[in-house]
Amino acid sequence: MLKMPRAITGSFLVVIFLTAAVGCTSKNTKEPANTLHLVSIAKIKGLDPAQTNDLYSARETARVYEGLLQYHYLKRPYVLIPALAESMPEISKDGRTLIFHIKKGVLFQDDPSFKTTLGKGREVTAEDFVYSFKRIADLKNTSPNWWLFEDKIVGLNDWRDSTKLEPDYSKPVEGLKALDRYTFQVKLIKRSAQFLFVLAMPQTSVVPHEAVSHYGKEFINHPVGTGAYRLGDHSQSNRFIWEKNPTYRMELFPSEGEASDKKEGYLADAGKPLPLTDRIVLQIYEEDQPRWLNFMAGNVDLISIPKDNFTQAIDENKELSSELKAKGMQLSKSPELDVTHFGFNMVDPLLGKNKLLRQALSLAYDTGPEIDLFYNGRAIPAQGPIPPGLSGYDPRFKNPFMQHNLTKAKELLAQAGYPDGKGLPVIEYYTLSDSSTRQRTEYAQKQFSALGVKLNVNTNSWPEFDSAIKNRKAQMWGIAWSADYPDAENFLQMFYGKNVSPGPNDANYVNPEFDRLYEKSLSLYEGPERTAIYRKMVEIVVEDAPWIFGVHRTAFEITQKWVKGYKYHAFDLGMAKYYGIDTALKK
């Protein structure tokens, strides 16, 4: 999603795809009864779509901003539906021209930046999308999300090059046109099977030029969107309060979904205006236990079960414990579209130039005990980057460097020039400071020490950690990636040469043959030819070992009995507008 950083979400960082809650009220306002309390496990870096590149910031950004498309909340497999678009786009026969009709009457939230309307939010137009897309391309903005548009939109690369001197937003781009006030046209260089998914990501949301100009560098802390919520009282270090947007467009809870949704109660609020709650309070807790204790105290509305509390919450049949069932709590289980991994910085003179060393480190790491120790069995070993559930995943494939073999690892280490680790410098390992991450780091140190390899632990906050990777300062790290959209390309693009840092290719891996196959796959829709290319790309990455692959996880989430309508969604950005509170039960 985003790089989660989920975007974005780490095996060894415990950066899990989750939302949860902690009770908190605004300083001067009585809390509405139907307040939803959520929690983030990492600090929020900012709320500008063009700068958002991690799961935690993306989740908050999606509360206030919207784009052309979104995902249907209930349907599976995941289905795209209109958001600010009136309908799905008209697409030319060659797949290269997309025409979107924008909904009329959609307003940006009221904000002082709208000076000509005395602070009243104005209507969204097609020109706003042209402007917002150009912001991502503008070199002066150094957006980490340029990879979403690079080499995809006619003329946008050239416009980007022109911004080296001074950005001219009035200069036309052939591939981005407002045909009239409510009609937005995009022309692609070649057809793309993934481009519509990109338009459902919060990074491509629409922003008003007035707010960007008014707030300047502080725009990242002053979101002005069209979404279901607007930012109220907040402290970026530990708390955000989101208030219901009084000018939000009419949007209703869906009245259809999967065959079992009515029986499961997911359609109880069908036809009701969104959002279902008047306020969201987000509290930031980087440690597991405060989140769990607040959940058990009734201050948390939704939580992903911490590993140390798993046996308390889940019985031997992997179902909710009798104690929690008696409290009326609900359990949701679903495979996550993610992969955890160790990343190597391929521009590092030690790790980047020695494939045998990377292969040896991969063979030395054993994911088996990790799954039991840190995931309570809620994961499977990853043989490559593509998780189960996506085209290109091959359940029969076995990564030769993920079959734990210390003897073979020592042989490769010797061939790499470091027999028994002799002469090998200490490897700088970047990580986070929470207790669960410390435990994983200790486990990793023991695994590699058996090979004769030492790690020096460099502990950081989440923003510091992400910055070190994006600026190519980190040598080795543990992290995970959660899908931005349901296509294996979203995992393979993390190895594409043009996506190196600050793009999503954090490992700065470059392989010309991989890049050739990747570019060929972009114009192919799902089918045997594309699947075969995806699998060949996986084989190339496995051999070069820019990562040590970890696991694919399964989400175990619990909601309080008063939470209505919650259904796990792999792309949950902006989905909190569908969650309701039974105020009588909560009281």
Side-chain angles (χ1 to χ4, degrees):
M1 118 202 200
L2 211 37
K3 185 168 177 187
M4 310 259 138
R6 222 151 175 231
I8 320 209
T9 61
S11 146
F12 312 104
L13 307 180
V14 203
V15 185
I16 304 172
F17 204 155
L18 76 91
T19 47
V22 172
C24 179
T25 60
S26 176
K27 295 177 181 177
N28 303 312
T29 306
K30 183 178 179 181
E31 183 171 277
N34 65 339
T35 295
L36 180 69
H37 290 91
L38 305 176
V39 80
S40 173
I41 67 172
K43 293 181 179 180
I44 309 305
K45 296 193 299 180
L47 300 168
D48 179 355
Q51 299 301 327
T52 294
N53 72 328
D54 67 276
L55 175 61
Y56 319 104
S57 299
R59 185 175 285 129
E60 301 315 304
T61 299
R63 304 196 200 286
V64 66
Y65 288 107
E66 298 178 294
L68 290 164
L69 304 177
Q70 61 185 336
Y71 289 94
H72 194 287
Y73 178 52
L74 298 177
K75 289 184 178 180
R76 306 291 186 273
Y78 297 106
V79 176
L80 288 174
I81 60 173
L84 296 186
E86 186 67 43
S87 59
M88 295 301 288
E90 301 167 12
I91 304 177
S92 61
K93 289 184 178 180
D94 64 4
R96 294 179 52 226
T97 302
L98 291 71
I99 296 178
F100 294 88
H101 299 285
I102 310 301
K103 288 177 178 174
K104 297 177 181 178
V106 174
L107 301 176
F108 285 113
Q109 298 161 2
D110 294 347
D111 188 83
S113 60
F114 298 112
K115 297 175 183 177
T116 59
T117 55
L118 302 179
K120 294 294 183 181
R122 64 164 176 83
E123 186 180 36
V124 175
T125 70
E127 284 289 358
D128 292 313
F129 283 96
V130 175
Y131 170 77
S132 300
F133 285 20
K134 283 181 175 179
R135 283 192 74 232
I136 293 175
D138 187 347
L139 280 167
K140 295 291 192 298
N141 290 331
T142 60
S143 171
N145 301 315
W146 169 238
W147 64 276
L148 297 173
F149 292 156
E150 184 174 16
D151 298 329
K152 293 183 175 69
I153 298 174
V154 176
L156 191 57
N157 279 50
D158 291 337
W159 185 87
R160 174 179 170 86
D161 290 340
S162 75
T163 65
K164 291 177 181 178
L165 299 176
E166 188 61 37
D168 181 2
Y169 281 75
S170 67
K171 184 178 180 180
V173 173
E174 182 182 349
L176 298 175
K177 288 184 179 179
L179 301 183
D180 58 40
R181 184 174 179 83
Y182 303 108
T183 308
F184 176 50
Q185 176 182 276
V186 180
K187 284 189 176 181
L188 302 177
I189 296 172
K190 57 184 177 182
R191 68 175 187 169
S192 168
Q194 296 83 26
F195 192 75
L196 290 184
F197 291 132
V198 168
L199 302 182
M201 294 171 62
Q203 289 92 328
T204 59
S205 296
V206 66
V207 302
H209 66 85
E210 295 95 331
V212 175
S213 177
H214 179 77
Y215 292 110
K217 291 183 179 180
E218 279 302 302
F219 176 65
I220 198 169
N221 298 317
H222 291 273
V224 183
T226 66
Y229 297 93
R230 57 178 298 159
L231 186 62
D233 181 32
H234 77 286
S235 167
Q236 191 165 330
S237 62
N238 58 22
R239 184 184 67 174
F240 287 77
I241 293 181
W242 296 100
E243 306 286 359
K244 183 177 180 179
N245 176 15
T247 63
Y248 187 55
R249 61 191 172 87
M250 177 57 69
E251 185 180 21
L252 305 178
F253 195 99
S255 57
E256 59 178 352
E258 292 185 282
S260 62
D261 281 350
K262 185 173 183 179
K263 179 181 178 181
E264 297 293 332
Y266 293 127
L267 293 172
D269 290 314
K272 290 184 179 180
L274 299 176
L276 295 182
T277 56
D278 290 332
R279 176 182 289 181
I280 294 175
V281 177
L282 178 88
Q283 192 76 21
I284 297 171
Y285 280 101
E286 297 177 274
E287 295 287 349
D288 290 345
Q289 289 314 299
R291 294 195 299 273
W292 180 253
L293 292 174
N294 274 279
F295 178 78
M296 293 303 291
N299 298 324
V300 172
D301 291 335
L302 166 65
I303 192 169
S304 182
I305 307 171
K307 71 176 184 63
D308 291 339
N309 304 103
F310 188 79
T311 55
Q312 175 187 351
I314 303 298
D315 63 22
E316 62 276 6
N317 297 316
K318 292 291 192 291
E319 299 297 335
L320 204 61
S321 70
S322 56
E323 176 190 357
L324 300 193
K325 281 182 181 178
K327 294 178 181 290
M329 296 175 181
Q330 301 292 321
L331 173 65
S332 174
K333 297 183 290 185
S334 185
E336 298 187 51
L337 295 177
D338 73 351
V339 60
T340 70
H341 59 276
F342 288 113
F344 298 123
N345 186 353
M346 297 294 284
V347 299
D348 177 74
L350 173 65
L351 294 173
K353 297 181 182 301
N354 198 325
K355 182 172 71 173
L356 292 172
L357 172 58
R358 299 192 302 272
Q359 291 174 342
L361 290 168
S362 184
L363 279 166
Y365 193 80
D366 190 356
T367 57
E370 178 195 354
I371 291 173
D372 293 330
L373 286 169
F374 303 119
Y375 297 109
N376 312 102
R378 294 174 286 172
I380 62 171
Q383 303 299 321
I386 303 175
L390 295 180
S391 176
Y393 173 76
D394 185 353
R396 300 164 300 178
F397 177 71
K398 298 297 181 184
N399 182 336
F401 305 108
M402 283 304 299
Q403 314 308 311
H404 178 61
N405 187 330
L406 193 57
T407 300
K408 180 64 176 177
K410 288 182 176 181
E411 291 176 3
L412 291 180
L413 187 63
Q415 294 176 34
Y418 305 104
D420 297 321
K422 294 176 181 178
L424 179 66
V426 174
I427 295 174
E428 194 79 2
Y429 178 73
Y430 279 68
T431 185
L432 298 180
S433 60
D434 64 276
S435 59
S436 292
T437 300
R438 289 196 298 271
Q439 293 174 24
R440 284 168 169 76
T441 299
E442 291 171 2
Y443 176 79
Q445 285 179 300
K446 290 180 180 178
Q447 293 279 294
F448 295 125
S449 67
L451 184 62
V453 176
K454 294 181 180 179
L455 302 184
N456 182 56
V457 178
N458 190 316
T459 304
N460 303 264
S461 67
W462 169 250
E464 292 169 340
F465 174 85
D466 186 57
S467 177
I469 295 173
K470 290 301 178 187
N471 290 306
R472 306 186 183 190
K473 294 180 179 178
Q475 190 176 21
M476 179 180 174
W477 57 88
I479 199 169
W481 181 272
S482 292
D484 293 316
Y485 42 82
D487 191 310
E489 178 271 341
N490 188 237
F491 291 85
L492 295 169
Q493 55 85 27
M494 288 185 286
F495 305 98
Y496 181 47
K498 290 187 177 181
N499 285 350
V500 295
S501 294
N505 182 353
D506 290 338
N508 303 301
Y509 169 72
V510 178
N511 181 303
E513 176 61 10
F514 180 95
D515 290 353
R516 184 188 69 80
L517 291 171
Y518 176 80
E519 290 168 359
K520 182 179 179 180
S521 75
L522 291 178
S523 61
L524 299 175
Y525 290 94
E526 184 171 345
E529 182 182 3
R530 192 180 74 168
T531 296
I533 291 175
Y534 280 177
R535 290 179 175 176
K536 178 60 178 176
M537 293 160 69
V538 169
E539 292 175 3
I540 293 172
V541 168
V542 163
E543 171 64 24
D544 285 346
W547 287 7
I548 298 175
F549 295 96
V551 301
H552 305 298
R553 296 171 292 190
T554 297
F556 275 63
E557 297 182 322
I558 308 178
T559 55
Q560 298 284 5
K561 65 179 179 180
W562 52 76
V563 175
K564 301 189 301 177
Y566 175 75
K567 183 177 181 179
Y568 176 83
H569 200 291
F571 311 100
D572 75 339
L573 308 179
M575 293 298 175
K577 63 186 177 183
Y578 298 102
Y579 308 163
I581 298 292
D582 186 322
T583 55
L585 276 177
K586 188 168 184 178
K587 185 176 181 180

